[in-house]
Amino acid sequence: MENPITAKCCNIHPWFVLLLLFVFCIHLLCLDYSGVLTVLDDNHGNLLHSHDFTETSNHSISPLPKTVESVKMADREEDLKLATEVDSCLGRYIFVHDLPSGFNKDLVNNCRLLTRGTDKNMCRYLDNLGFGPEIDNPEDVLMNNSWFLTNQFLLEVIFHNKMKSYECLTNDSSIASAVYVPFYAGLDMSLYLWGFNITVRDSASLALVKWLSEKPEWKRMWGRDHFLVAGRIAWDFRRQSDNESDWGSKLRFLPESKNMSMLSIESTSWNNDIAIPYPTCFHPSKDSEIFQWQDRMRRQKRRYLFSFAGAPRPEYQNSIRGKIIDQCLASKNQCKLLDCNDGATNCDNPVNVMRVFKSSVFCLQPPGDSYTRRSIFDSILAGCIPVFFHPGTAYAQYIWHLPKNHTRYSVYIPVNDLSEWKIDLNETLLRIPEDRISALREEIIKLIPRVVYAGSRSRSETLEDAFDIAVKGVLERIESVRVMIREGKDPSIGFADGDDYRYTFPPYGDGI
């Protein structure tokens, strides 16, 4: 005989299930999904980050639709968190433009035509993906297999080759958070700096911006999500007149180029130029090589109080280099001079440079032909405390890679020109307490991973190198523009403005 209680329950159960489904469907229909910023692309299997920018003009981009702007911040953060758990590249996808070969590959293939102004053949420096030939005989000064004869002006080639191994590349530009433009502006410039008129010097730049502006990727943010990397100082691309005698090209003054960010070894006073480290000769392929080198620098004995590697600049009236060299020579055993004048010493050989810097407590870093010099990063590699005389040499430059508080890793002796020279370097540096010297050295040794470009085909297990930090900085910069757009603000405000006070002395204190 059937249990009446069981029978009753079984009869009611289907209706109960239908009721629950009905209530659940009503609940779903009532939810507001305007805050969900991600959709699943069935074709690619990727989680897409939608950016619906209204096309208006090249100077004013409309904000996102009100439905997106009205989403509560907490909901947006929760959506992003959930999406990131599904796709770790969300917000980090980069689309690389496939430029015509004349903008990059042909320049490398015609390396015999390239010049640094002195060398007539750059081909050997392009070996090993732009790192140059491996140094076979490090003489126990360097480490085997991780030091190369790297040319300081090949950043754009090194960066491009490292980008090819970036873990979040995408062929779908609609999901990209940034667009990389692999134009070898520095190599192109080196072809035409000497003996060519401005029409020739500007031709590649004009062709590039025309090509870019015709692409659908350009119209999403009118280029403000685009960035390029140059292996020369940014001033070389900011010729301010059309006088044939003026230096460089006008790439960075072209209207389209103003909407792009450019990373280079030295920035200008415009906000859309950002400095990232010069390529040094140390390119470790794994974290253990960095740790091993750091340990060596901690144990290194330093027989010299300070050193200077360079040459005087008598052609520059206010150059302090001559005074530095005089004081170094007068200090005798306290200072080591590596004379790079007229080939007295091969200063392009990292063995010679690192031998001196490793043996020094302080490394003097005055401005040279421009504000910056690769020697800054050589001294960091050597655990040698850099001494700066002008804020434009490091403090106003490498804002993503070096600590904002410059007293943590360097000594600052502000000297604008020779008329302000009132110091004795030997006495000044001797007064710095030993405990501060130890703290400064430890800080710069910790900075070593951040200022080297690791092997192009390798990925660090735990450390970020100069490339990783630069990419992160670009993504954050572009995202800040998107935030402005979402808030209904004009994204052009401050993006490419000039900052006349960027290289002034007062913000950096009185020194030491």
Side-chain angles (χ1 to χ4, degrees):
M1 180 177 179
E2 185 177 38
N3 188 322
I5 298 177
T6 304
K8 185 175 181 182
C9 290
C10 293
N11 290 334
I12 294 174
H13 182 67
W15 293 102
F16 181 73
V17 171
L18 289 174
L19 179 61
L20 283 177
L21 287 173
F22 177 76
V23 172
F24 181 69
C25 292
I26 292 296
H27 179 68
L28 286 176
L29 290 172
C30 292
L31 282 176
D32 177 12
Y33 278 88
S34 63
V36 178
L37 299 178
T38 57
V39 294
L40 189 64
D41 181 1
D42 293 331
N43 295 325
H44 299 87
N46 291 323
L47 202 60
L48 309 187
H49 192 183
S50 66
H51 300 296
D52 183 17
F53 294 103
T54 305
E55 297 179 19
T56 53
S57 73
N58 199 28
H59 302 288
S60 177
I61 304 175
S62 297
L64 290 173
K66 290 294 183 181
T67 54
V68 173
E69 290 182 347
S70 63
V71 176
K72 293 181 180 179
M73 186 61 68
D75 292 340
R76 183 181 296 142
E77 291 178 353
E78 184 65 23
D79 292 334
L80 184 59
K81 179 180 178 182
L82 292 172
T84 305
E85 291 175 357
V86 177
D87 185 355
S88 62
C89 283
L90 186 66
R92 299 193 299 133
Y93 280 116
I94 292 180
F95 175 81
V96 181
H97 270 304
D98 185 15
L99 297 180
S101 61
F103 293 115
N104 43 47
K105 295 177 185 176
D106 290 351
L107 293 167
V108 171
N109 293 337
N110 295 320
C111 57
R112 294 186 180 278
L113 302 177
L114 302 172
T115 174
R116 291 194 299 165
T118 53
D119 292 349
K120 299 300 181 183
N121 189 340
M122 288 279 285
C123 294
R124 67 175 183 150
Y125 296 112
L126 291 161
D127 290 348
N128 295 310
L129 304 177
F131 289 156
E134 186 176 334
I135 297 174
D136 296 327
N137 183 21
E139 301 178 24
D140 200 35
V141 176
L142 312 176
M143 288 170 48
N144 290 318
N145 305 320
S146 56
W147 287 79
F148 300 77
L149 195 61
T150 303
N151 185 284
Q152 65 178 1
F153 298 116
L154 285 182
L155 174 62
E156 55 210 26
V157 177
I158 293 170
F159 198 98
H160 188 195
N161 284 321
K162 286 185 68 66
M163 182 61 76
K164 292 174 183 178
S165 300
Y166 177 62
E167 67 269 24
C168 294
L169 291 181
T170 179
N171 290 325
D172 183 355
S173 62
S174 69
I175 70 171
S177 294
V179 178
Y180 171 48
V181 182
F183 172 41
Y184 295 169
L187 295 188
D188 175 77
M189 176 70 68
S190 70
L191 283 173
Y192 307 118
L193 268 178
W194 296 272
F196 291 88
N197 61 37
I198 59 173
T199 301
V200 175
R201 279 183 267 157
D202 293 338
S203 59
S205 300
L206 290 167
L208 175 75
V209 298
K210 182 179 185 298
W211 188 92
L212 289 172
S213 63
E214 293 173 353
K215 297 298 175 182
E217 291 80 16
W218 184 263
K219 297 178 176 63
R220 289 200 308 163
M221 291 179 66
W222 301 108
R224 291 189 182 92
D225 56 352
H226 286 48
F227 73 99
L228 66 157
V229 179
R232 300 183 66 91
I233 66 173
W235 298 101
D236 287 349
F237 309 100
R238 287 192 178 272
R239 191 188 71 243
Q240 300 194 38
S241 79
D242 286 336
N243 294 329
E244 295 288 348
S245 60
D246 283 359
W247 179 263
S249 78
K250 64 177 182 181
L251 168 64
R252 298 299 285 145
F253 284 126
L254 298 177
E256 296 87 354
S257 182
K258 290 180 181 180
N259 284 5
M260 292 190 285
S261 299
M262 185 173 82
L263 315 184
S264 62
I265 54 177
E266 178 179 322
S267 66
T268 65
S269 55
W270 281 268
N271 292 339
N272 58 339
D273 289 338
I274 300 103
I276 62 176
Y278 281 76
T280 64
C281 295
F282 184 38
H283 305 290
S285 60
K286 48 192 174 184
D287 289 359
S288 59
E289 293 179 359
I290 294 179
F291 298 145
Q292 182 182 351
W293 180 258
Q294 287 175 310
D295 289 341
R296 285 181 62 174
M297 294 307 99
R298 289 187 178 100
R299 299 191 306 267
Q300 179 70 36
K301 293 182 179 180
R302 302 177 186 271
R303 55 181 296 195
Y304 302 111
L305 176 63
F306 62 105
S307 63
F308 173 63
R313 291 288 188 269
E315 66 273 25
Y316 298 133
Q317 184 177 0
N318 288 323
S319 175
I320 63 173
R321 284 186 170 211
K323 194 70 173 180
I324 284 175
I325 291 172
D326 290 344
Q327 290 208 6
C328 181
L329 293 174
S331 299
K332 297 182 180 179
N333 294 334
Q334 292 278 48
C335 180
K336 178 63 177 177
L337 173 65
L338 189 63
D339 186 359
C340 301
N341 192 33
D342 295 329
T345 305
N346 182 6
C347 292
D348 286 336
N349 185 341
V351 173
N352 296 332
V353 175
M354 297 305 291
R355 180 184 287 113
V356 172
F357 284 3
K358 284 169 57 179
S359 303
S360 306
V361 177
F362 298 100
C363 290
L364 308 183
Q365 303 296 342
D369 295 329
S370 64
Y371 286 119
T372 65
R373 52 199 311 247
R374 182 168 77 173
S375 180
I376 299 166
F377 302 101
D378 291 335
S379 68
I380 291 175
L381 287 184
C384 184
I385 302 164
V387 179
F388 298 117
F389 301 87
H390 195 288
T393 305
Y395 306 149
Q397 297 284 348
Y398 308 102
I399 56 176
W400 292 343
H401 292 79
L402 299 180
K404 184 176 181 180
N405 181 359
H406 60 81
T407 62
R408 287 174 51 192
Y409 72 96
S410 69
V411 169
Y412 179 45
I413 303 175
V415 180
N416 192 27
D417 55 48
L418 278 175
S419 65
E420 298 179 7
W421 190 278
K422 301 175 183 178
I423 56 171
D424 183 290
L425 289 172
N426 193 55
E427 293 180 0
T428 301
L429 296 175
L430 279 173
R431 287 198 297 266
I432 299 177
E434 189 61 37
D435 58 344
R436 188 186 175 209
I437 289 175
S438 297
L440 287 167
R441 182 180 301 123
E442 181 59 26
E443 186 65 31
I444 62 172
I445 290 174
K446 289 179 180 177
L447 286 175
I448 290 174
R450 300 174 61 86
V451 301
V452 299
Y453 295 90
S456 295
R457 292 194 178 100
S458 61
R459 282 199 61 202
S460 171
E461 300 88 7
T462 59
L463 301 173
E464 290 183 317
D465 74 344
F467 171 85
D468 296 324
I469 294 168
V471 168
K472 182 186 293 185
V474 165
L475 292 170
E476 290 175 353
R477 173 175 166 80
I478 294 171
E479 181 57 28
S480 69
V481 176
R482 289 195 174 96
V483 170
M484 291 184 67
I485 294 170
R486 286 196 291 264
E487 294 174 350
K489 298 177 182 177
D490 184 351
S492 66
I493 296 176
F495 184 87
D497 291 356
D499 183 358
D500 294 335
Y501 299 98
R502 189 168 179 173
Y503 298 118
T504 55
F505 284 80
Y508 302 94
D510 297 325
I512 304 296

